[in-house]
Amino acid sequence: MATAARPLYNFLVRRNYIFLGVIFAGAFGFEMAFDTISDRIWDNINKGRQWKDIRAKYIQSEDDE
Amino acid sequence: MLARSCLRSTRAVGAVRNGAVNTSKRAASTSSSEAASPFRLNMAGSAATAVAIGSMAWYYHLYGTELHAMTPTEEGLHPTKYPWEHAAWTKTFDHQALRRGFQVYQEVCSSCHSLSRIPYRSLVGVTHTVDEAKAMAEENEYDSEPNDEGEIEKRPGKLSDYLPSPYKNDEAARAANNGALPPDLSLIVKARHGGCDYIFSLLTGYPEEPPPGVKLPDGLNFNPYFPGTGIAMARVLYNDLVEYEDGTPASTSQMAKDVVEFLNWSAEPEMDQRKKMGLKVLAITSLLTALSIWVKRYKWSPIKTRKIVYVPPKMGGRPNGH
């Protein structure tokens, strides 16, 4: 392990309760980041096809009535 | 036996051709009286081959050909494969098309076909807003709970109500349609071979008039894609039959395409979500696969790269006992 990472390792992994917390927080953070990114990719692939893309038309037309 | 005599005959021929070599071999077993003539051996070989091929052909003729329980007419014409965009594995339904397709169902199909598994609430956030769906539901009347006298009154529809069926039951539907039951369309895309392709071909495949020589019973229409080619449903989609609210030209094929996509949605309303989840699963599993391959190589690298050296003990000297 590189010497620069040594203090980080000591802090995060040495004590089990912190290591457990790191794992849970990491899973939470990864899930959020992964979902956000994949949603963005998905919406980009399906641009203009999903309901949220055409929803505005019908909301507005109801306000006019 | 045949093979052995063949071997012998070649050896005999060889012996004639190159006697000097064969003198050292045991030539006694190859007596000239035992060797058959090459012509008769060729004949025997050819005959055996012909018999083998013939028996295989006969067997194939008996058991090998594909059997069809139905004639091609009864099978119906295979539908054309169309490049459905929503069928690609990263594409959702085109919800504008779903909305148009629902309009086509509502204005055309629903006069005979039910869509009994779709409640109004499932249209919300797919093709219509909440208010639109509520308004549509309220146009219909449904049975309410029994009141204090036990009478069942009618009430306007709610979001949780299912789309009303055109007939009270299947018997009423048959009676109204010359004995033919218009199938429920909720799962029709899953329920028919060819799915979207079949239904699109069926809707757009009615010829102007049946080909000469085709005789159909009264009340049936000719459609080559329908198994048996005689279908009780007449052609219903004609150009500009409906007027789309988004201004799309309502050609026959446009309406058929929209309504087929809508029926695909009604059969698989979970498709958008399923494909999105599938893409995520593929991303994560490919990441984990790559990770596990790397870990394996990392852990195995000392074992794969080690070198085992064997130093033999010195021979001749006394065994040194260490």
Side-chain angles (χ1 to χ4, degrees):
Chain A
M1 188 173 283
T3 48
R6 173 61 62 179
L8 202 66
Y9 173 84
N10 281 343
F11 176 68
L12 294 180
V13 183
R14 273 294 167 82
R15 280 152 299 176
N16 190 48
Y17 64 96
I18 290 184
F19 188 40
L20 196 69
V22 165
I23 289 172
F24 275 79
F28 190 75
F30 176 80
E31 181 79 31
M32 287 215 302
F34 181 76
D35 278 354
T36 311
I37 292 170
S38 54
D39 280 1
R40 198 169 297 161
I41 292 172
W42 181 256
D43 292 345
N44 199 39
I45 294 173
N46 292 292
K47 201 177 283 176
R49 296 175 68 82
Q50 299 183 85
W51 170 248
K52 58 185 164 198
D53 301 328
I54 62 168
R55 178 173 171 273
K57 286 191 223 172
Y58 302 107
I59 296 290
Q60 278 173 1
S61 67
E62 291 222 333
D63 288 343
D64 295 339
E65 282 169 6
Chain B
M1 199 58 206
L2 184 71
R4 200 199 279 169
S5 56
C6 279
L7 277 178
R8 274 187 197 158
S9 76
T10 52
R11 201 191 287 163
V13 170
V16 172
R17 212 185 282 152
N18 199 348
V21 179
N22 268 351
T23 45
S24 60
K25 291 182 181 168
R26 279 197 313 129
S29 66
T30 317
S31 59
S32 59
S33 62
E34 237 180 272
S37 77
F39 175 73
R40 285 171 64 186
L41 279 167
N42 284 345
M43 283 301 289
S46 307
T49 311
V51 167
I53 292 174
S55 63
M56 277 162 64
W58 175 73
Y59 187 87
Y60 181 79
H61 169 74
L62 258 189
Y63 304 113
T65 50
E66 207 176 329
L67 279 181
H68 295 278
M70 298 200 286
T71 59
T73 309
E74 288 166 332
E75 293 275 5
L77 197 58
H78 285 193
T80 316
K81 292 256 182 297
Y82 292 103
W84 297 99
E85 203 175 354
H86 71 261
W89 58 280
T90 55
K91 288 286 187 178
T92 63
F93 288 117
D94 184 356
H95 285 244
Q96 191 75 62
L98 293 186
R99 193 180 167 101
R100 291 194 299 265
F102 178 73
Q103 190 185 346
V104 174
Y105 166 76
Q106 195 89 6
E107 293 182 15
V108 184
C109 316
S110 69
S111 57
C112 294
H113 290 278
S114 56
L115 196 68
S116 60
R117 283 159 200 270
I118 303 297
Y120 281 102
R121 62 182 157 79
S122 66
L123 298 174
V124 176
V126 176
T127 58
H128 292 79
T129 61
V130 183
D131 297 332
E132 286 171 328
K134 271 183 187 164
M136 284 192 298
E138 281 165 9
E139 287 169 14
N140 308 298
E141 283 192 328
Y142 291 87
D143 288 345
S144 61
E145 293 284 302
N147 61 11
D148 293 342
E149 279 87 48
E151 306 290 328
I152 292 177
E153 289 170 354
K154 292 286 184 184
R155 59 160 175 80
K158 297 184 289 189
L159 275 185
S160 56
D161 285 316
Y162 285 76
L163 296 189
S165 300
Y167 303 106
K168 268 184 273 180
N169 46 52
D170 285 0
E171 283 68 26
R174 282 205 177 85
N177 286 289
N178 206 6
L181 172 68
D184 184 82
L185 295 183
S186 312
L187 296 166
I188 203 75
V189 168
K190 277 180 174 171
R192 292 290 179 270
H193 273 295
C196 291
D197 291 332
Y198 167 73
I199 294 166
F200 184 86
S201 298
L202 191 79
L203 288 175
T204 56
Y206 287 93
E208 294 289 325
E209 52 188 47
V214 171
K215 286 199 189 94
L216 290 173
D218 272 353
L220 291 190
N221 303 279
F222 181 82
N223 191 318
Y225 296 99
F226 189 73
T229 68
I231 183 168
M233 180 174 79
R235 179 179 169 180
V236 284
L237 294 180
Y238 291 93
N239 286 346
D240 301 319
L241 182 66
V242 302
E243 193 174 336
Y244 283 137
E245 55 185 1
D246 58 358
T248 308
S251 60
T252 300
S253 53
Q254 177 71 43
M255 287 185 288
K257 180 251 168 198
D258 289 340
V259 81
V260 164
E261 189 159 345
F262 172 72
L263 291 177
N264 200 161
W265 169 80
S266 72
E268 293 179 276
E270 82 290 351
M271 191 194 82
D272 292 358
Q273 205 58 38
R274 170 164 59 81
K275 283 181 178 173
K276 189 176 178 180
M277 187 53 76
L279 210 63
K280 285 184 183 178
V281 167
L282 286 181
I284 290 286
T285 46
S286 53
L287 199 74
L288 291 181
T289 308
L291 196 68
S292 66
I293 289 172
W294 177 81
V295 168
K296 185 261 167 189
R297 290 172 68 92
Y298 178 74
K299 295 284 185 192
W300 275 75
S301 62
I303 300 168
K304 289 281 192 184
T305 54
R306 76 184 170 181
K307 192 172 180 182
I308 299 174
V309 179
Y310 172 67
V311 183
K314 289 198 178 75
M315 298 297 282
R318 278 176 297 155
N320 48 356
H322 60 228

